[in-house]
């Protein structure tokens, strides 16, 4: 049985929707890769009763409780007094922590104030954890084989404390069998169709290998989970992957952590190809996806966003007559755009998108969500029509994913 | 006493740190602006016991329980069977929901599968909520004056259900005195500096008008909240806004719901100006922000993303010698890019961005986060250097916001 952890985020600003809590998400991922199971996450406000009752409940239910937030110097931060009350202890000034705070203040040339000094008063029963990045130390408590840790809510302070101290200590205390995950990443097939396609394989999975479907926009990830990191375990999971792959091969773009835009980068750089983009209705979003990958200048020459028809015509030599006869959202236009941007931008692969993102601009013949995507390389220039049905931002996002998938499919055929 | 709400997010993928839960954050903000107090947020896995015990506890502690996630068509999604068990009821096929799913499938020209049909089997005691954007309907339960709502975890499906149905129904059931909000939107000033600037005004606010600072990337919103929607209330809040505005005028880009990219659209179309963009390190993200606004083709001609220096040189006539002498990330390059893209793309305003987004590419002289932004209109061409310090995606986002602010400031001077 893996160790169980409960995360408690404390802060009115999270509950009121003013601060997005990314701490719990990050901690979840870190514990998961250690093989510690997060069974529950709780967010509560800066309220004494809530903090005390949730601490008690969490200590009953889990082996590890990680608390973030509520350690600021002002009076609305209640985590520390609540911990003192919860453990029925008292505060003791810690000189090592105080010196660290003095050092931080000296660095920015400021006098330490009394409220900041008081941040070095810590519950007598805790092991203090040095906060290299801020004034609130972390606190490590142990009783009856359970661990309770309190950390500041500032993300970079919490992360440093986790990496330097908390994760290594938790690993040494709780980890025998690590969790082993593999991920198969698909695109171009919906969750239910995918489930239908692999249902016999899924039924035959051994019970100690768990399968999860993780759909995100336009793509579905299949996650296989088991415990233990022995070679035998890895081999067994790989055998299951090898069994299912032939059923879904044409939808699989990658494995484990690789995003579709990273997979495209890999496919292009494997071939030493450069990409160029002409995108209209997606307004730069496809180019943004491609360039969100570090190092993308290796396989990306650039993009052109011709929002006006005049620019499509002048800059990418799409014949005004074609646009007049077929409209900007049409097969001949995306064919010309893909080919011309490839040539003009001195690339090996050109991709083009033209469509009606909405909410305006739709017609009976071409309703909102009609999108043409073109692809061109040295051997061929092709186009495909898509019909999306959602709102503007969703149409833009789906179009970009469809274009990435079109690059993948055509490069694979190479 | 405001009504109390508890949010329950269900999904192993959230607990394992694979999916960042933005739903709870969004719902928190929406309930807060209605005047409903979120007292707790809980995230649990797709586990029968956890779902049942947390439902029970939440029903004891709150008036409203909003559940997201776990409604997918596959067997790892347990929310619906758990709700059936929790309410001791049974499933009934709902024809209206089924027809909606059929309509969605017909629209994309696909056959409905049996697993999707089964998504229209709903607990007998619930009021189904039509999901216009997907196949899993929402479910509204009431007992003993308390409301329990289950919604899909897909953010755009959940948001549509919330806006169309859940928020209006909750308001009519739980809100007597409507909450009245006004928002002043600022950009280019940090939260603490803003607080310092308006501290005397803040101290003098009448106690029934509450002030909140809502910082998001590169901008801080000031929210004034009071209850009641009488003309006298509105006038009183407006008077407070009129008092604070002179102190912060140069940072204010808009009010209430207007995002900075919408404000830029308004400023441009007021002047009947067209915008063109040449952006390098931001890779299309600024263009994406501009075109995320419906109707942006009215004020946006297009963008050029010259990721390679060769394209900067050839397509926008930036002298190769300038790039060689000063580097691509330099004042002369963004000045030339802004001016040339304005002329080449036949626009009235040109904006350019060139910088080092990271993680690679930094030097001692130009570390990661160094970004030059250029602005050009018919009267002037100017540039400004920014130094951001965070990671790639944050640098890209901050750069785009800084460019939008630079457009605003220069148009205001017009």
């Amino acid at each position: 049985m893996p160790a169980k952890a409960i995360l408690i985020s404390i802060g009115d600003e999270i509950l009121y929707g003013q601060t997005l809590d990314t701490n719990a998400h990050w901690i979840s991922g870190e514990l998961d890769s250690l093989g510690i199971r997060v069974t529950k996450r709780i967010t509560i406000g800066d309220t004494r009763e809530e903090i005390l009752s949730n601490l008690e409940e969490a200590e009953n239910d889990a082996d590890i409780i990680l608390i973030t937030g509520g350690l600021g110097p002002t009076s609305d931060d209640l985590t520390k007094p609540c911990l003192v009350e919860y453990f029925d202890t008292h505060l003791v000034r810690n000189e090592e922590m105080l010196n660290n705070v003095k050092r931080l203040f000296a660095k920015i040339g400021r006098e330490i104030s009394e409220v900041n000094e008081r941040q070095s008063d810590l519950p007598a029963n805790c092991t203090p954890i040095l906060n290299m990045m801020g004034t609130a130390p972390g606190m490590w408590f142990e009783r009856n084989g359970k661990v309770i840790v309190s950390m500041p809510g500032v993300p970079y302070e919490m992360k440093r404390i986790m990496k330097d101290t908390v994760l290594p200590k938790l690993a040494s205390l709780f980890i025998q069998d690590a969790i082993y995950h593999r991920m198969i990443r698909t695109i171009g097939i919906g969750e239910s169709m995918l489930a239908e396609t692999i249902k016999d394989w899924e039924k035959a999975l051994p019970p100690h290998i768990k399968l999860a479907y993780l759909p995100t926009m336009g793509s579905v990830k299949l996650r296989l989970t088991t415990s233990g990191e022995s070679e035998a375990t890895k081999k067994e999971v790989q055998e299951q992957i090898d069994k299912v792959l032939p059923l879904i091969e044409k939808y699989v773009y990658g494995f484990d952590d690789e995003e579709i835009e990273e997979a495209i980068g890999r496919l292009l750089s494997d071939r030493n190809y450069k990409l160029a983009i002409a995108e209209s209705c997606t307004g730069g979003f496809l180019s943004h996806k491609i360039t969100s990958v570090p190092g993308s200048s290796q396989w990306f020459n650039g993009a052109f966003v011709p929002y006006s028809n005049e620019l499509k015509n002048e800059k990418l030599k799409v014949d005004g007559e074609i646009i007049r006869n077929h409209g900007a959202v049409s097969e001949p236009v995306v064919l010309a755009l893909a080919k011309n941007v490839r040539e003009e931008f001195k690339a090996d692969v050109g991709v083009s998108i033209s469509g009606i993102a909405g909410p305006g601009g739709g017609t009976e013949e071409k309703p909102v969500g009609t999108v043409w995507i073109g692809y061109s390389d040295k051997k061929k220039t092709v186009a495909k029509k898509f019909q999306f049905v959602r709102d503007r931002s969703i149409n833009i996002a789906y179009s970009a994913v469809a274009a990435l998938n079109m690059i993948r499919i055509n490069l694979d055929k190479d």
Side-chain angles (χ1 to χ4, degrees), chain A residues 4 44 52 61 150 163 214 232 254 259 282 287-288 378 411:
Chain A
K4 286 184 188 172
I44 48 178
L52 292 173
D61 293 346
S150 163
K163 283 183 190 166
L214 310 177
E259 300 287 347
T282 43
S287 176
H288 166 60
K378 271 154 199 149
L411 284 178

Side-chain angles (χ1 to χ4, degrees), chain A residues 322-385:
Chain A
I322 294 184
I323 298 180
R324 273 190 301 278
N325 288 344
H326 300 270
V329 179
S330 65
E331 184 168 22
V333 166
V334 293
L335 288 171
L337 280 173
K339 182 164 177 295
N340 296 355
V341 81
R342 174 172 67 78
E343 291 171 358
E344 290 281 321
F345 282 28
K346 299 196 165 57
D348 306 283
V349 173
V351 172
S352 60
I353 307 178
S354 184
I356 299 150
T363 62
E364 183 108 335
E365 197 197 343
K366 292 177 187 171
V368 165
T370 306
V371 177
W372 275 97
I373 301 181
Y375 169 95
S376 176
D377 59 29
K378 271 154 199 149
K379 292 180 214 146
K380 61 183 176 300
T381 298
V382 294
K384 194 174 165 190
K385 185 182 170 183

